[in-house]
Amino acid sequence: MALTTETTSEQKITALRHRHLLGLATYGADEIQLILETARRFREVLERPIKRVPTLRGVTVVNLFFEASTRTRISFELAEKRLSADTVNFSSAGSSVVKGETLKDTARNIEAMKIDMVVIRHRSPGAAAFLTKCVDSVVLNAGDGAHEHPTQALLDLLTISDHFPKFEGLNVSIIGDITHSRVARSNIHGLRALGANVTVCGPKTMIPYGIEEMGVNVTYRLDEALEGCDVAMALRIQLERQEAGLFPTLREYHDRFGIRLEHMERYPDLIVMHPGPINRGVELASEVADHERAVILNQVTNGVAVRMAALYLLSGLPESGVAG
Ligand code: CP
């Protein structure tokens, strides 16, 4: 289905009001739409034989990763290279963090080397916001504990917009461990801002009390979550949660909340998303992960364009930068 940018009735803007990207909780629909529209334009750059524009030439970006990552880290690095930024990669293993250096001291020492933007992934909720108090650089949150993962939600929104003409009235079900999921929180904020209906589904032990206040429906039954649903977003089950007693066995989780081939057959228009990494046979049956209506690799592809858009818009550089 053709995509359109006319998903809400808000006024179009040409610059973000925010200086940082810490989460989508405070981003308006107009800002989210601006990022998506800019990402679509960068996606055209990524289709060219030479996938590089000079947009961020002279801008130095440091990727601070204090927690494991494959998709987010590589796509931020690729996005920076595609924009011609100078990039430096930091991971806590092998750094002075292992000698006890704090996040604040680490960041301030790196900033003393004259950097412009920082991408941070950290296991502590609020780490990205804390960083904005320690450094003058622009900060992009690449996932902070169970708080937010805004660029993941933005790439999810871009992927949804590739399949549906508008967000208003769209039914999206997020299935899994909602309590511990930064992906769920960012998606709920983004989807609600754009007018989608959101249902969360999972074991009672994994749905936080009072989540309805975020404007979502709650169900503990997968069939209810999938009935009338346009997009099913399965979340990774963190295997250590089983040790915490939040669900009995992975087999039982799959039987009650795993999306299986029978669901794809019963709901022929449903698309399935997953932020990765997937536990095959747990959140998704393996055939569902590889199904033609699973758009998981499209999400990953869109991640580069979305991160290019976020970096560019937050850089504050002039409009001409997109086309290169
Ligand atoms: N979706 C996601 O954040 O994946 P990584 O942990 O591999 O970055």
Side-chain angles (χ1 to χ4, degrees):
M1 204 178 293
L3 66 86
T4 169
T5 59
E6 291 175 51
T7 52
T8 63
S9 55
E10 83 281 358
Q11 293 258 309
K12 285 201 173 190
I13 54 169
T14 56
L16 298 175
R17 290 183 292 280
H18 287 78
R19 180 158 186 264
H20 307 283
L21 178 56
L22 305 181
L24 294 191
T26 59
Y27 268 59
D30 54 354
E31 290 179 290
I32 295 172
Q33 289 290 10
L34 175 62
I35 297 172
L36 299 185
E37 179 54 32
T38 308
R40 289 184 193 105
R41 292 161 68 192
F42 277 126
R43 205 158 53 176
E44 290 167 19
V45 171
L46 297 174
E47 296 298 323
R48 296 178 190 166
I50 297 176
K51 304 170 180 53
R52 185 182 283 258
V53 283
T55 309
L56 293 194
R57 187 179 286 156
V59 174
T60 303
V61 187
V62 175
N63 301 306
L64 286 181
F65 277 72
F66 292 86
E67 198 188 56
S69 168
T70 298
R71 280 146 288 268
T72 311
R73 181 178 182 141
I74 291 175
S75 70
F76 261 116
E77 284 178 36
L78 268 178
E80 291 151 13
K81 289 184 197 314
R82 303 294 191 223
L83 291 169
S84 304
D86 296 318
T87 66
V88 180
N89 297 314
F90 167 96
S91 52
S92 47
S95 75
S96 290
V97 169
V98 296
K99 300 177 197 162
E101 190 166 38
T102 63
L103 170 58
K104 180 176 178 177
D105 283 334
T106 301
R108 292 187 69 186
N109 275 274
I110 291 173
E111 192 175 57
M113 300 180 215
K114 305 292 178 204
I115 61 161
D116 302 295
M117 307 179 90
V118 181
V119 175
I120 178 168
R121 169 167 288 194
H122 200 282
R123 65 186 164 81
S124 299
F130 173 74
L131 204 59
T132 65
K133 314 279 185 240
C134 311
V135 298
D136 292 329
S137 305
V138 170
V139 176
L140 292 92
N141 181 7
D144 59 336
H147 176 227
E148 282 227 36
H149 192 349
T151 57
Q152 176 67 45
L154 288 163
L155 72 87
D156 293 339
L157 295 171
L158 182 60
T159 307
I160 292 172
S161 79
D162 289 340
H163 290 82
F164 298 94
K166 58 181 184 159
F167 285 96
E168 280 167 341
L170 199 71
N171 295 315
V172 180
S173 291
I174 306 177
I175 299 148
D177 183 358
I178 309 298
T179 303
H180 299 95
S181 176
R182 56 195 176 204
V183 175
R185 290 173 72 85
S186 289
N187 265 294
I188 291 169
H189 290 308
L191 287 162
R192 294 297 298 132
L194 296 178
N197 306 314
V198 180
T199 298
V200 296
C201 173
K204 282 188 177 165
T205 49
M206 293 182 161
I207 306 281
Y209 178 77
I211 191 154
E212 294 88 343
E213 288 168 21
M214 291 182 78
V216 302
N217 306 305
V218 177
T219 178
Y220 306 108
R221 291 173 47 91
L222 182 62
D223 279 338
E224 275 182 17
L226 296 182
E227 190 65 46
C229 172
D230 300 300
V231 179
M233 191 179 291
L235 302 174
R236 183 174 75 91
I237 287 296
Q238 297 170 38
L239 300 180
E240 62 272 23
R241 303 292 172 213
Q242 190 183 350
E243 285 156 31
L246 297 184
F247 60 95
T249 64
L250 293 175
R251 173 72 185 270
E252 185 167 325
Y253 180 89
H254 183 67
D255 287 349
R256 290 197 55 204
F257 298 102
I259 302 177
R260 302 182 296 278
L261 207 47
E262 68 201 61
H263 298 119
M264 302 306 282
E265 287 161 2
R266 197 179 311 155
Y267 305 108
D269 297 323
L270 181 72
I271 67 164
V272 173
M273 304 177 72
H274 192 298
I278 304 168
N279 296 306
R280 285 176 182 260
V282 183
E283 306 96 56
L284 303 178
S286 199
E287 315 85 73
V288 172
D290 298 327
H291 198 278
E292 61 181 7
R293 281 183 280 120
V295 295
I296 297 162
L297 292 178
N298 305 69
Q299 293 172 256
V300 177
T301 302
N302 280 335
V304 179
V306 153
R307 288 169 177 128
M308 288 172 80
L311 287 159
Y312 162 61
L313 290 167
L314 291 164
S315 74
L317 288 167
E319 162 72 8
S320 59
V322 178

